[in-house]
Amino acid sequence: MAPIVSRDRVIDTVRPLLRTAIVIERRFTVEDLHRLSGVSVRTIRSYMANDPGEVREPSLSAALSLAVVIGPHAVNAVLAIIGYGNASPMDEPDEREPIRLLINGMAHWAILTRCAADGIIDHTEEADTTKAADGLIAELLPYSSTGKAA
């Protein structure tokens, strides 16, 4: 009988999280993640390996340690492997900061306004507008009846 959580599924979840944080977004270096998570540089690199023979499956402790450093979306991605999500730190305040909603929302609206200023949203602007619209939805969802029902 196969395990509920496969090796490939863990690798296919953790590897993109690391690559996005390190290579695409450049929010961290491998050394930063090592320093902040306690997972060795060599081990982190082995989780990111392209060669199937060299890639290692992250342990639960390493996957969670790295996810906590990368951010809540990464924690939720790791938990989603077992069908759970929407995790938040237990010490996180229950009340949302309305000013943060406005600040983040205005940034998304600014992108949409810039892209629509000429009356059309062309293929070169589509990715930016999609990301901005998704950001607005993510910001507003917790305040909506749909978000409160979840």
Side-chain angles (χ1 to χ4, degrees):
M1 185 164 136
I4 294 170
V5 178
S6 72
R7 173 184 189 275
D8 290 342
R9 193 162 175 201
V10 174
I11 291 168
D12 291 345
T13 299
V14 174
R15 183 180 358 192
L17 292 171
L18 291 170
R19 288 185 181 199
T20 299
I22 295 169
V23 178
I24 297 170
E25 295 175 350
R26 297 179 187 250
R27 291 183 15 223
F28 300 98
T29 64
V30 173
E31 290 76 16
D32 291 335
L33 286 178
H34 156 65
R35 185 175 38 79
L36 296 167
S37 71
V39 178
S40 77
V41 168
R42 182 176 170 194
T43 301
I44 294 169
R45 287 192 174 126
S46 73
Y47 298 158
M48 296 174 60
N50 285 325
D51 183 352
E54 292 183 19
V55 70
R56 286 186 44 206
E57 176 186 1
S59 67
L60 177 60
S61 60
L64 289 173
S65 295
L66 290 164
V68 166
V69 172
I70 294 171
H73 73 285
V75 173
N76 285 325
V78 171
L79 293 177
I81 295 171
I82 58 168
Y84 288 79
N86 203 20
S88 61
M90 292 179 70
D91 60 349
E92 185 175 280
D94 289 337
E95 294 182 33
R96 301 196 179 274
E97 297 177 56
I99 194 69
R100 177 104 26 234
L101 168 72
L102 294 173
I103 292 167
N104 294 340
M106 290 181 78
H108 298 305
W109 279 115
I111 292 167
L112 291 168
T113 302
R114 176 182 49 80
C115 292
D118 61 356
I120 60 166
I121 295 176
D122 64 29
H123 69 282
T124 64
E125 300 164 321
E126 188 174 347
D128 289 342
T129 57
T130 299
K131 188 174 179 180
D134 289 345
L136 275 172
I137 292 167
E139 290 292 332
L140 296 172
L141 188 63
Y143 294 91
S144 72
S145 58
T146 303
K148 289 180 181 176

